[in-house]
Amino acid sequence: MEKLLCPSMMCANYRNLEKEVNDLIEAGVDIFHIDIMDGQFVPNFGMGLQDVEYICKASTIPVDAHLMIENPDQYLDSFVTPQTAFITVHREACVHLHRTIQNIHAKGIKAGVAINPATPVSSLECILEDVDLVLVMS
């Protein structure tokens, strides 16, 4: 099993994002985990497209765009960058999860699926062979 160091950028100091990115690169991170929240699927707002673009321009480190948003299929193309290694979507936000995973793979990107704490892990049994990453929220 491959082990990667993937810090969440949600906790970054936005007033000094460039320094945060550089410090994490120096620390040897493998992937920047970027939480994208729309205020609908989850009650908070998180990083957005402009933050993904900034981090990707400031670094060559791959990113995991974790889409905690309604209708993620509508926005997949927006998060495709040369540094996008993963796009992670929520089981609960996808009407046709298998199709969403296929759409992500068709873009040449690894697909992740996340589940909320109340969602049974067994709900992923039908998709496990098709995903590259599973994220269980806590």
Side-chain angles (χ1 to χ4, degrees):
M1 174 185 349
E2 184 178 13
K3 295 180 183 177
L4 301 171
L5 180 58
C6 311
S8 173
M9 297 305 292
M10 190 168 85
C11 300
N13 178 350
Y14 289 83
R15 292 169 64 192
N16 204 351
L17 192 54
E18 183 176 4
K19 181 178 181 332
E20 294 276 328
V21 167
N22 290 331
D23 287 350
L24 288 167
I25 291 170
E26 287 180 24
V29 302
D30 298 300
I31 297 175
F32 289 120
H33 180 89
I34 304 174
D35 292 303
I36 312 299
M37 299 179 222
D38 64 1
Q40 294 175 27
F41 180 71
V42 293
N44 300 333
F45 288 96
M47 299 183 103
L49 180 57
Q50 70 282 358
D51 300 304
V52 173
E53 290 172 345
Y54 178 83
I55 290 169
C56 289
K57 286 179 186 175
S59 161
T60 58
I61 301 290
V63 300
D64 170 19
H66 176 197
L67 306 183
M68 292 185 272
I69 62 176
E70 294 287 339
N71 303 312
D73 291 278
Q74 294 178 348
Y75 304 99
L76 294 178
D77 288 334
S78 299
F79 294 97
V80 175
T81 74
Q83 286 87 4
T84 306
F86 293 91
I87 293 179
T88 301
V89 296
H90 274 260
R91 167 80 187 95
E92 304 86 355
C94 297
V95 176
H96 302 287
L97 181 59
H98 192 263
R99 186 179 310 149
T100 301
I101 297 302
Q102 287 178 325
N103 289 340
I104 294 168
H105 282 147
K107 297 173 187 322
I109 295 174
K110 294 180 181 176
V113 64
I115 56 172
N116 290 327
T119 302
V121 174
S122 61
S123 72
L124 299 178
E125 287 177 8
C126 63
I127 198 76
L128 282 178
E129 290 184 20
D130 299 312
V131 297
D132 304 290
L133 174 145
V134 173
L135 174 62
V136 179
M137 303 299 291
S138 59

